[in-house]
Amino acid sequence: MIEVGLTAVADHPTLAANGKTSSLKDLAQYFPIMEMDTGFYHIPSLQTIRNWQAQVPSKMHFIIKASQWMTLHKESPDIDVTDQFEQLREAVMPLVQSQQLVALMFQMPPWFAVTPTHVRYFQRVKRLYPDLPVAVEFRHDSWYLPEYRQSTFDLLKQLNFIHIAVDEPQTPAGSVPLVPVATNAEWSILRLHGRNYAGWQANQMPGRTSYRYLDSELLELADVAKQFESRHTAVIFNNNGQGDAADNALRFIQQQRLQYRGLAPQQTTLF
Protein backbone atom coordinates (compact mmCIF):
# COMPACT_ATOMS: atom_id res chain seq x y z
CA MET A 1 0.00 0.00 0.00
CA ILE A 2 1.40 3.39 -1.05
CA GLU A 3 0.34 6.51 0.84
CA VAL A 4 1.22 9.87 -0.74
CA GLY A 5 1.69 13.07 1.24
CA LEU A 6 3.44 16.40 1.59
CA THR A 7 5.69 18.35 3.93
CA ALA A 8 5.24 21.92 5.18
CA VAL A 9 1.50 22.42 5.71
CA ALA A 10 1.28 26.06 4.61
CA ASP A 11 3.30 25.80 1.37
CA HIS A 12 0.68 24.53 -1.08
CA PRO A 13 -1.43 27.44 -2.38
CA THR A 14 -2.99 25.44 -5.23
CA LEU A 15 -4.90 23.44 -2.61
CA ALA A 16 -5.65 26.31 -0.23
CA ALA A 17 -9.30 27.16 0.35
CA ASN A 18 -8.32 30.85 0.53
CA GLY A 19 -6.07 30.59 -2.54
CA LYS A 20 -2.99 31.59 -0.54
CA THR A 21 -1.97 29.57 2.52
CA SER A 22 -2.91 25.91 2.75
CA SER A 23 -4.10 24.39 6.01
CA LEU A 24 -3.95 20.87 7.34
CA LYS A 25 -7.69 20.63 6.75
CA ASP A 26 -7.16 21.59 3.09
CA LEU A 27 -4.49 18.93 2.54
CA ALA A 28 -6.43 16.21 4.35
CA GLN A 29 -8.99 16.32 1.54
CA TYR A 30 -6.41 14.94 -0.89
CA PHE A 31 -3.73 13.02 1.01
CA PRO A 32 -3.82 10.23 3.63
CA ILE A 33 -0.52 11.17 5.25
CA MET A 34 1.32 14.35 6.24
CA GLU A 35 4.83 15.09 7.41
CA MET A 36 4.76 17.74 10.15
CA ASP A 37 8.09 19.57 10.03
CA THR A 38 7.32 22.10 12.76
CA GLY A 39 8.61 19.60 15.32
CA PHE A 40 12.14 20.26 14.05
CA TYR A 41 11.99 23.80 15.44
CA HIS A 42 10.02 23.18 18.62
CA ILE A 43 8.27 20.25 20.27
CA PRO A 44 4.51 20.43 19.57
CA SER A 45 2.28 20.60 22.60
CA LEU A 46 -0.31 17.98 23.45
CA GLN A 47 -3.03 20.49 22.55
CA THR A 48 -1.39 21.18 19.17
CA ILE A 49 -1.46 17.48 18.35
CA ARG A 50 -5.11 17.28 19.31
CA ASN A 51 -5.84 20.30 17.12
CA TRP A 52 -4.21 18.49 14.20
CA GLN A 53 -6.39 15.47 14.83
CA ALA A 54 -9.51 17.63 14.88
CA GLN A 55 -8.79 18.89 11.36
CA VAL A 56 -8.37 15.53 9.63
CA PRO A 57 -10.13 12.18 9.11
CA SER A 58 -9.57 9.63 11.88
CA LYS A 59 -7.41 7.46 9.59
CA MET A 60 -5.03 10.28 8.59
CA HIS A 61 -1.40 9.33 9.22
CA PHE A 62 1.36 11.57 10.55
CA ILE A 63 5.15 11.66 10.36
CA ILE A 64 6.54 14.07 12.96
CA LYS A 65 10.05 15.45 12.85
CA ALA A 66 12.20 15.19 15.94
CA SER A 67 13.67 18.48 17.09
CA GLN A 68 16.98 19.88 15.90
CA TRP A 69 18.43 19.32 19.39
CA MET A 70 17.33 15.71 19.41
CA THR A 71 18.97 15.15 16.01
CA LEU A 72 22.21 16.95 16.99
CA HIS A 73 21.79 19.80 14.51
CA LYS A 74 22.11 22.19 17.44
CA GLU A 75 23.50 22.13 20.95
CA SER A 76 22.63 24.48 23.78
CA PRO A 77 23.40 24.44 27.51
CA ASP A 78 19.84 25.66 28.02
CA ILE A 79 18.29 22.63 26.30
CA ASP A 80 17.87 19.33 28.13
CA VAL A 81 17.83 16.87 25.24
CA THR A 82 16.54 13.97 27.32
CA ASP A 83 13.66 16.21 28.39
CA GLN A 84 12.98 16.95 24.71
CA PHE A 85 12.62 13.24 24.05
CA GLU A 86 10.14 12.94 26.92
CA GLN A 87 8.15 16.02 25.82
CA LEU A 88 7.76 14.60 22.33
CA ARG A 89 6.72 11.21 23.70
CA GLU A 90 3.98 12.81 25.79
CA ALA A 91 2.80 15.01 22.92
CA VAL A 92 2.33 12.19 20.40
CA MET A 93 0.45 9.86 22.72
CA PRO A 94 -2.96 10.79 21.17
CA LEU A 95 -1.59 9.75 17.75
CA VAL A 96 -0.24 6.50 19.17
CA GLN A 97 -3.58 5.71 20.80
CA SER A 98 -5.50 6.43 17.57
CA GLN A 99 -2.96 4.52 15.44
CA GLN A 100 -2.23 7.64 13.38
CA LEU A 101 1.50 7.91 14.09
CA VAL A 102 3.67 6.43 11.34
CA ALA A 103 6.99 7.62 12.74
CA LEU A 104 9.04 10.14 14.62
CA MET A 105 11.42 11.28 11.92
CA PHE A 106 15.10 11.73 12.71
CA GLN A 107 16.64 13.65 9.81
CA MET A 108 20.33 13.60 10.62
CA PRO A 109 22.74 16.49 9.92
CA PRO A 110 24.90 16.49 6.76
CA TRP A 111 28.03 15.99 8.90
CA PHE A 112 26.61 12.92 10.67
CA ALA A 113 28.92 10.27 9.18
CA VAL A 114 29.50 6.62 10.05
CA THR A 115 31.33 6.44 13.40
CA PRO A 116 31.03 4.21 16.48
CA THR A 117 29.78 7.25 18.41
CA HIS A 118 26.97 7.79 15.93
CA VAL A 119 25.99 4.12 16.04
CA ARG A 120 25.72 4.48 19.81
CA TYR A 121 23.54 7.55 19.28
CA PHE A 122 20.93 5.40 17.52
CA GLN A 123 21.14 2.81 20.26
CA ARG A 124 20.40 5.59 22.77
CA VAL A 125 17.39 6.70 20.72
CA LYS A 126 16.11 3.13 20.90
CA ARG A 127 16.54 3.07 24.68
CA LEU A 128 14.59 6.31 24.98
CA TYR A 129 11.91 5.19 22.50
CA PRO A 130 11.72 1.40 22.90
CA ASP A 131 8.05 1.31 21.91
CA LEU A 132 7.66 4.23 19.49
CA PRO A 133 8.19 4.10 15.70
CA VAL A 134 11.38 5.88 14.61
CA ALA A 135 12.40 6.72 11.04
CA VAL A 136 15.90 7.78 9.98
CA GLU A 137 17.01 9.91 7.05
CA PHE A 138 20.75 10.00 6.48
CA ARG A 139 22.24 13.07 4.84
CA HIS A 140 25.85 11.87 4.78
CA ASP A 141 26.70 9.38 2.03
CA SER A 142 29.13 7.35 4.15
CA TRP A 143 26.24 5.24 5.50
CA TYR A 144 25.69 3.96 1.95
CA LEU A 145 29.30 3.31 0.95
CA PRO A 146 29.87 -0.32 -0.12
CA GLU A 147 31.88 -1.12 2.99
CA TYR A 148 29.16 0.19 5.34
CA ARG A 149 25.86 -0.22 3.51
CA GLN A 150 24.94 -3.67 4.78
CA SER A 151 25.93 -2.75 8.33
CA THR A 152 23.74 0.36 8.07
CA PHE A 153 20.69 -1.68 7.13
CA ASP A 154 21.51 -4.36 9.69
CA LEU A 155 21.61 -1.67 12.39
CA LEU A 156 18.26 -0.20 11.35
CA LYS A 157 16.69 -3.67 11.25
CA GLN A 158 18.10 -4.57 14.64
CA LEU A 159 16.57 -1.40 16.11
CA ASN A 160 13.39 -1.82 14.04
CA PHE A 161 13.84 1.71 12.70
CA ILE A 162 12.23 2.79 9.43
CA HIS A 163 14.61 3.54 6.59
CA ILE A 164 13.92 6.78 4.73
CA ALA A 165 15.16 6.60 1.16
CA VAL A 166 15.60 9.91 -0.66
CA ASP A 167 15.52 11.23 -4.19
CA GLU A 168 17.85 14.21 -4.49
CA PRO A 169 20.39 15.67 -6.95
CA GLN A 170 23.59 13.66 -7.10
CA THR A 171 26.27 16.31 -6.57
CA PRO A 172 30.01 15.79 -5.95
CA ALA A 173 29.56 17.09 -2.39
CA GLY A 174 28.35 13.77 -1.00
CA SER A 175 24.71 13.44 -1.96
CA VAL A 176 22.88 10.43 -0.59
CA PRO A 177 21.98 7.80 -3.22
CA LEU A 178 18.46 6.49 -3.71
CA VAL A 179 18.45 3.02 -2.11
CA PRO A 180 14.97 1.46 -1.76
CA VAL A 181 15.63 -0.96 1.10
CA ALA A 182 13.06 -1.71 3.80
CA THR A 183 14.23 -2.18 7.38
CA ASN A 184 10.83 -2.24 9.10
CA ALA A 185 8.03 -4.69 8.29
CA GLU A 186 5.24 -2.12 8.57
CA TRP A 187 6.55 1.07 6.93
CA SER A 188 9.15 2.44 4.55
CA ILE A 189 9.41 6.09 3.55
CA LEU A 190 10.49 7.62 0.25
CA ARG A 191 11.12 11.39 0.47
CA LEU A 192 11.36 13.35 -2.77
CA HIS A 193 13.47 16.50 -2.58
CA GLY A 194 13.49 17.27 -6.32
CA ARG A 195 16.42 17.28 -8.71
CA ASN A 196 17.53 20.91 -8.80
CA TYR A 197 21.26 20.31 -9.16
CA ALA A 198 22.35 23.96 -8.98
CA GLY A 199 20.06 24.76 -6.08
CA TRP A 200 21.21 21.70 -4.16
CA GLN A 201 24.87 22.63 -4.59
CA ALA A 202 24.19 26.19 -3.45
CA ASN A 203 22.34 24.78 -0.42
CA GLN A 204 19.98 27.73 -0.27
CA MET A 205 16.23 27.81 0.10
CA PRO A 206 13.92 27.95 -1.76
CA GLY A 207 16.13 26.95 -4.71
CA ARG A 208 17.25 23.77 -2.98
CA THR A 209 13.80 22.20 -3.36
CA SER A 210 12.57 24.13 -6.41
CA TYR A 211 11.78 21.41 -8.91
CA ARG A 212 8.80 20.00 -10.78
CA TYR A 213 9.08 16.30 -11.55
CA LEU A 214 8.28 15.25 -15.11
CA ASP A 215 5.61 12.62 -15.67
CA SER A 216 8.30 10.15 -16.72
CA GLU A 217 10.22 10.79 -13.51
CA LEU A 218 7.10 10.24 -11.39
CA LEU A 219 6.58 6.89 -13.09
CA GLU A 220 10.18 5.92 -12.34
CA LEU A 221 9.73 6.92 -8.70
CA ALA A 222 6.55 4.86 -8.47
CA ASP A 223 8.56 1.84 -9.60
CA VAL A 224 11.06 2.62 -6.83
CA ALA A 225 8.29 2.89 -4.22
CA LYS A 226 7.02 -0.55 -5.21
CA GLN A 227 10.42 -2.11 -4.47
CA PHE A 228 10.12 -1.69 -0.69
CA GLU A 229 9.09 -4.88 1.09
CA SER A 230 7.17 -3.19 3.93
CA ARG A 231 3.39 -3.44 4.20
CA HIS A 232 3.09 0.33 3.69
CA THR A 233 5.25 2.85 1.86
CA ALA A 234 4.88 6.59 2.39
CA VAL A 235 5.87 8.73 -0.60
CA ILE A 236 6.45 12.27 0.68
CA PHE A 237 6.91 15.17 -1.74
CA ASN A 238 9.30 17.78 -0.36
CA ASN A 239 9.88 19.74 -3.60
CA ASN A 240 8.17 22.81 -2.17
CA GLY A 241 10.54 25.57 -3.33
CA GLN A 242 8.16 26.94 -5.95
CA GLY A 243 4.95 25.20 -4.96
CA ASP A 244 5.35 22.10 -7.14
CA ALA A 245 4.93 19.43 -4.48
CA ALA A 246 1.12 19.36 -4.31
CA ASP A 247 0.62 19.16 -8.07
CA ASN A 248 3.31 16.48 -8.41
CA ALA A 249 1.78 14.46 -5.57
CA LEU A 250 -1.70 14.60 -7.10
CA ARG A 251 -0.29 13.61 -10.48
CA PHE A 252 1.50 10.66 -8.86
CA ILE A 253 -1.79 9.54 -7.30
CA GLN A 254 -3.56 9.89 -10.64
CA GLN A 255 -0.88 7.98 -12.55
CA GLN A 256 -0.97 5.08 -10.09
CA ARG A 257 -4.78 5.13 -9.78
CA LEU A 258 -4.47 5.29 -5.99
CA GLN A 259 -7.68 5.70 -4.02
CA TYR A 260 -7.98 6.73 -0.39
CA ARG A 261 -11.27 6.28 1.40
CA GLY A 262 -12.75 9.25 3.21
CA LEU A 263 -11.02 11.91 1.12
CA ALA A 264 -12.54 14.34 -1.39
CA PRO A 265 -12.43 13.42 -5.11
CA GLN A 266 -9.08 14.15 -6.68
CA GLN A 267 -8.98 17.45 -8.56
CA THR A 268 -7.45 16.25 -11.80
CA THR A 269 -8.28 19.59 -13.42
CA LEU A 270 -5.19 21.02 -11.70
CA PHE A 271 -2.92 19.46 -14.35
Side-chain angles (χ1 to χ4, degrees):
M1 177 65 180
I2 294 176
E3 294 195 7
V4 177
L6 305 173
T7 67
V9 170
D11 290 355
H12 312 286
T14 58
L15 301 185
N18 63 13
K20 296 180 181 179
T21 303
S22 51
S23 68
L24 184 57
K25 183 177 180 180
D26 292 331
L27 303 182
Q29 297 181 64
Y30 301 90
F31 306 106
I33 190 168
M34 186 70 198
E35 179 190 304
M36 309 301 286
D37 60 355
T38 55
F40 182 75
Y41 304 100
H42 58 84
I43 303 292
S45 68
L46 183 64
Q47 187 55 51
T48 295
I49 298 285
R50 287 175 173 160
N51 287 341
W52 293 347
Q53 289 180 297
Q55 298 178 59
V56 303
S58 61
K59 293 184 178 180
M60 180 83 171
H61 285 130
F62 289 91
I63 298 168
I64 303 194
K65 269 192 174 182
S67 77
Q68 56 196 318
W69 293 279
M70 294 167 65
T71 57
L72 309 181
H73 282 78
K74 285 189 175 181
E75 294 183 5
S76 170
D78 300 322
I79 299 294
D80 183 331
V81 177
T82 302
D83 186 56
Q84 291 250 313
F85 273 85
E86 186 56 33
Q87 288 180 44
L88 185 56
R89 167 188 284 281
E90 293 177 2
V92 302
M93 276 302 106
L95 297 177
V96 173
Q97 293 163 1
S98 61
Q99 299 183 334
Q100 290 177 280
L101 181 65
V102 169
L104 301 176
M105 175 182 166
F106 284 68
Q107 183 183 59
M108 306 316 299
W111 51 262
F112 190 88
V114 172
T115 68
T117 298
H118 292 161
V119 170
R120 288 193 293 271
Y121 163 83
F122 287 126
Q123 293 168 339
R124 178 171 182 259
V125 171
K126 184 64 176 180
R127 288 195 299 272
L128 290 168
Y129 286 157
D131 54 349
L132 290 179
V134 170
V136 177
E137 179 178 326
F138 296 108
R139 301 181 69 192
H140 193 284
D141 65 339
S142 63
W143 297 89
Y144 295 99
L145 291 175
E147 59 267 38
Y148 296 121
R149 182 177 296 196
Q150 189 58 52
S151 296
T152 295
F153 294 135
D154 287 345
L155 174 66
L156 295 180
K157 289 177 181 178
Q158 176 189 0
L159 300 174
N160 202 30
F161 286 176
I162 297 166
H163 175 229
I164 301 177
V166 297
D167 183 65
E168 64 185 41
Q170 296 300 296
T171 69
S175 293
V176 172
L178 175 52
V179 185
V181 171
T183 56
N184 177 281
E186 287 297 315
W187 283 94
S188 291
I189 300 173
L190 173 61
R191 294 185 82 232
L192 310 179
H193 298 300
R195 298 176 179 178
N196 186 335
Y197 187 93
W200 201 260
Q201 278 196 305
N203 196 26
Q204 295 177 346
M205 298 297 287
R208 182 176 170 87
T209 58
S210 296
Y211 187 81
R212 179 175 284 258
Y213 284 101
L214 301 174
D215 274 5
S216 58
E217 292 171 330
L218 293 176
L219 290 171
E220 292 171 1
L221 290 167
D223 289 339
V224 171
K226 295 171 185 176
Q227 294 178 39
F228 292 98
E229 296 179 349
S230 304
R231 291 181 60 191
H232 307 274
T233 297
V235 178
I236 305 296
F237 283 80
N238 188 45
N239 54 322
N240 297 325
Q242 293 182 338
D244 294 312
D247 288 357
N248 268 168
L250 288 176
R251 181 58 174 160
F252 185 101
I253 290 171
Q254 183 190 54
Q255 285 180 332
Q256 300 304 311
R257 295 183 172 88
L258 299 174
Q259 295 184 350
Y260 304 115
R261 293 181 179 179
L263 305 183
Q266 306 306 319
Q267 293 188 0
T268 55
T269 54
L270 288 173
F271 309 118

